[in-house]
Amino acid sequence: MLLVHTTIPVDPDRREEALDVIRDLTERSRNEPGTVTYRAMTDVVDPNLIRFFELYEDQDAAEAQSATDSYEQFEAMLPELVDGEVETMQVKFEGPPETVRFGVDELQ
């Protein structure tokens, strides 16, 4: 498994355009073979920071996703949309991730 976390600071003047492009990329990427999870969200402190959370079955799946038309179109637009430095972190691990779910009752 490969976990990818990317943070992209978007230009506040181009935020809505960036979000439209990111929505499209996210929708398409979720259906790519080997993609376990693909999510994009805004930061709670800085709404101009977009955080991607991607989980792939392996490195090959991640590389295949980055070779898709939708990703290449997104990547080509990045210079116009980014306001700062993009950061990407990758973590490789064996086996499926452990997921724990709990409700509000368990918090008390």
Side-chain angles (χ1 to χ4, degrees):
M1 292 286 213
L2 176 67
L3 171 67
V4 180
H5 178 259
T6 301
T7 303
I8 300 176
V10 297
D11 181 342
D13 295 332
R14 310 278 310 262
R15 183 175 186 275
E16 289 307 314
E17 179 184 1
L19 291 178
D20 286 343
V21 171
I22 290 166
R23 279 185 199 98
D24 182 61
L25 173 66
T26 301
E27 179 81 20
R28 293 172 188 265
S29 297
R30 286 180 174 161
N31 299 317
E32 293 294 328
T35 301
V36 178
T37 300
Y38 197 99
R39 298 179 183 172
M41 64 227 61
T42 56
D43 188 88
V44 296
V45 175
D46 182 351
N48 295 315
L49 272 182
I50 309 300
R51 300 188 184 276
F52 285 82
F53 177 85
E54 307 161 45
L55 183 61
Y56 300 98
E57 291 177 358
D58 54 31
Q59 184 71 40
D60 291 341
E63 290 173 8
Q65 189 277 335
S66 65
T68 62
D69 289 341
S70 56
Y71 185 83
E72 288 178 353
Q73 290 169 0
F74 170 72
E75 192 174 45
M77 292 186 73
L78 276 179
E80 300 171 27
L81 303 175
V82 171
D83 183 26
E85 188 173 80
V86 176
E87 177 184 277
T88 296
M89 174 179 51
Q90 294 187 358
V91 179
K92 294 178 184 177
F93 58 96
E94 296 297 320
E98 180 181 338
T99 301
V100 178
R101 291 183 173 86
F102 52 89
V104 68
D105 293 340
E106 287 88 2
L107 296 175
Q108 298 175 359

